[in-house]
Amino acid sequence: MRRLILALTILVALFSAIAYNSNTIRSLFEDLISEYYQIITTTSQDIKLPTANTNLAVLSSLPSTNSLQHMNVAKSTMSKALSHAMITPHRSGARGHSDHGWLNTYHSFSFANWFNPNFTHFGSLRVLNEDRVKANSGFPTHPHRDFEIFSYIISGELTHRDSMLKKGAEGAQSDKFYRMHRGDVQFTTGGTGIAHSEQNEHNKDTVHFLQIWAIPWKRGLTPRYHTRHFDEEKKRQGFVPMLSPLKGGIDATRQQEQAAEATIDGTIPIHSDFVMSAGIIAPQAKFEWVVGANATENPHRKLYIHLPMTKGGKAKIRLDGREEVYNEGDGAFVDDVRAGDKLSVESVGEAEAEVVLLDTA
């Protein structure tokens, strides 16, 4: 009799739960996932990342029964390669923005008059500004110190000129004077102090470029410039490394500093455990990046992915086979990865996606 009463009680409870609606059960699971993401988010020591969005579209479509089993299936399909990695979007709308007329600029990290304590740096990555400078204007002579600073030209023309060179008397193009165009990267080691200008001296065209700053592995370095062009077609075949650590690392000799050889052949040497690369991914195509590029020292890595605003909103990407879609102007923090891991970047928009990838310790 007791067994019969117990069985009837279980049946009543079961039907009551079904009648109550599956949203309650789903809510419990979402709360559990939310707490999990909040816990792992607080483990980042370098930057306060925003809590991951836990309103997963996959969960909203699942039936209430066997929820745990379906959650495991969803997890395996959303994270095909880097299940241990935490990937957090940095949406374009969360960036700082200023329009000065001659300069229209977006700040992925705190810069100038815009400060957000959640976006101060990520590893040694300190600044990523997406700038548009109108014709016959630009940044007049200004100093830099103790930062590694580089400009990635997307379109237009930008003239870099050392402060010691007078306009009209520069001579041939060199590291101290260079009219940069699409595909060029200009690099400055601020070190003990250096001054230069960056002007758009074109008569009509706006220049669109990224300005990126990295924290060097030590202060008081010898100031220096580098400028290099990177082939467009190679970027359409895969990620092309552009910057990699100076050979010799933090303990590089004077001779190694003068030789200025990078760990990866054909790249610009940087005084940081840092690699920059870029790729142009056709719609529905996928590129893969090997974390650390077999060139870095610290096996514990972080990646920052940026999708510049180049195609009027038609370029979109996905990372690591996950459902999150990134639009132009968006970035992504990829944390808890190790050297040798492989990150896939898939173009899922109507237009090709020009992706900049920054690999830092």
Side-chain angles (χ1 to χ4, degrees):
M1 188 63 167
R2 290 180 180 178
R3 291 181 181 180
L4 178 61
I5 294 173
L6 179 59
L8 290 172
T9 302
I10 292 173
L11 285 173
V12 170
L14 177 60
F15 284 113
S16 298
I18 294 173
Y20 184 66
N21 196 319
S22 62
N23 288 335
T24 301
I25 299 173
R26 187 181 300 116
S27 176
L28 290 173
F29 287 130
E30 288 180 348
D31 290 343
L32 179 62
I33 295 172
S34 178
E35 291 178 6
Y36 168 73
Y37 273 107
Q38 289 174 6
I39 291 171
I40 63 173
T41 300
T42 59
T43 63
S44 175
Q45 298 178 357
D46 293 309
I47 184 170
K48 296 178 180 178
L49 298 179
T51 303
N53 180 10
T54 58
N55 294 323
L56 304 177
V58 172
L59 285 179
S60 65
S61 65
L62 294 179
S64 60
T65 58
N66 299 322
S67 296
L68 285 174
Q69 178 183 354
H70 286 290
M71 285 172 61
N72 289 332
V73 171
K75 180 179 178 181
S76 64
T77 57
M78 290 178 64
S79 181
K80 297 180 180 179
L82 296 178
S83 59
H84 56 281
M86 180 170 65
I87 303 180
T88 307
H90 185 13
R91 296 301 181 188
S92 180
R95 297 184 295 176
H97 177 232
S98 295
D99 190 344
H100 303 282
W102 65 274
L103 167 67
N104 189 5
T105 179
Y106 290 84
H107 312 310
S108 294
F109 297 89
S110 296
F111 191 82
N113 294 327
W114 181 72
F115 177 76
N116 186 323
N118 293 323
F119 307 119
T120 56
H121 68 105
F122 189 57
S124 58
L125 175 61
R126 173 60 189 87
V127 170
L128 195 161
N129 293 341
E130 186 166 356
D131 293 344
R132 285 182 172 86
V133 176
K134 289 185 176 180
N136 296 308
S137 59
F139 303 94
T141 300
H142 56 281
H144 289 296
R145 187 183 185 93
D146 286 329
F147 273 107
E148 306 285 278
I149 300 169
F150 35 108
S151 297
Y152 175 85
I153 310 302
I154 297 171
S155 64
E157 177 183 286
L158 185 67
T159 299
H160 153 73
R161 185 182 285 105
D162 182 79
S163 61
M164 300 302 291
L165 300 178
K166 293 183 179 180
K167 188 175 181 179
E170 304 95 343
Q173 289 204 136
S174 65
D175 283 340
K176 291 187 176 182
F177 168 69
Y178 206 97
R179 293 195 189 280
M180 297 176 286
H181 299 89
R182 177 167 174 78
D184 289 334
V185 173
Q186 192 278 324
F187 180 87
T188 300
T189 290
T192 55
I194 202 167
H196 72 154
S197 62
E198 291 171 299
Q199 299 275 349
N200 180 2
E201 297 178 0
H202 198 274
N203 290 327
K204 61 178 182 178
D205 293 341
T206 294
V207 61
H208 180 197
F209 66 104
L210 303 180
Q211 184 171 105
I212 305 169
W213 297 18
I215 303 167
W217 48 47
K218 63 181 177 181
R219 294 174 176 267
L221 295 165
T222 300
R224 188 158 185 176
Y225 300 117
H226 297 281
T227 307
R228 190 180 292 270
H229 179 79
F230 295 91
D231 184 70
E232 184 95 349
E233 289 310 310
K234 288 184 178 179
K235 292 182 201 170
R236 289 192 164 89
Q237 299 169 19
F239 283 115
V240 174
M242 299 178 174
L243 276 68
S244 65
L246 175 74
K247 283 186 177 179
I250 192 171
D251 298 319
T253 64
R254 184 176 179 181
Q255 289 74 20
Q256 287 174 316
E257 288 281 359
Q258 291 176 341
E261 293 182 7
T263 305
I264 301 175
D265 289 341
T267 64
I268 295 172
I270 182 171
H271 298 90
S272 184
D273 195 9
F274 189 103
V275 177
M276 172 189 177
S277 69
I280 302 172
I281 313 175
Q284 282 70 60
K286 184 186 297 183
F287 285 178
E288 190 174 77
W289 175 253
V290 177
V291 177
N294 299 313
T296 53
E297 184 172 341
N298 191 332
H300 302 283
R301 312 300 301 168
K302 304 172 185 290
L303 307 177
Y304 188 78
I305 315 297
H306 181 69
L307 181 61
M309 300 180 291
T310 60
K311 299 296 180 181
K314 294 182 179 180
K316 301 176 186 295
I317 59 172
R318 282 198 185 106
L319 303 177
D320 189 42
R322 305 189 188 194
E323 290 198 347
E324 196 81 49
V325 173
Y326 297 84
N327 302 303
E328 293 180 32
D330 288 348
F333 299 101
V334 183
D335 209 347
D336 296 334
V337 290
R338 295 182 62 85
D341 285 345
K342 295 179 180 180
L343 174 73
S344 66
V345 182
E346 180 183 6
S347 176
V348 295
E350 299 176 30
E352 63 184 15
E354 184 166 5
V355 178
V356 174
L357 190 151
L358 305 165
D359 188 323
T360 178

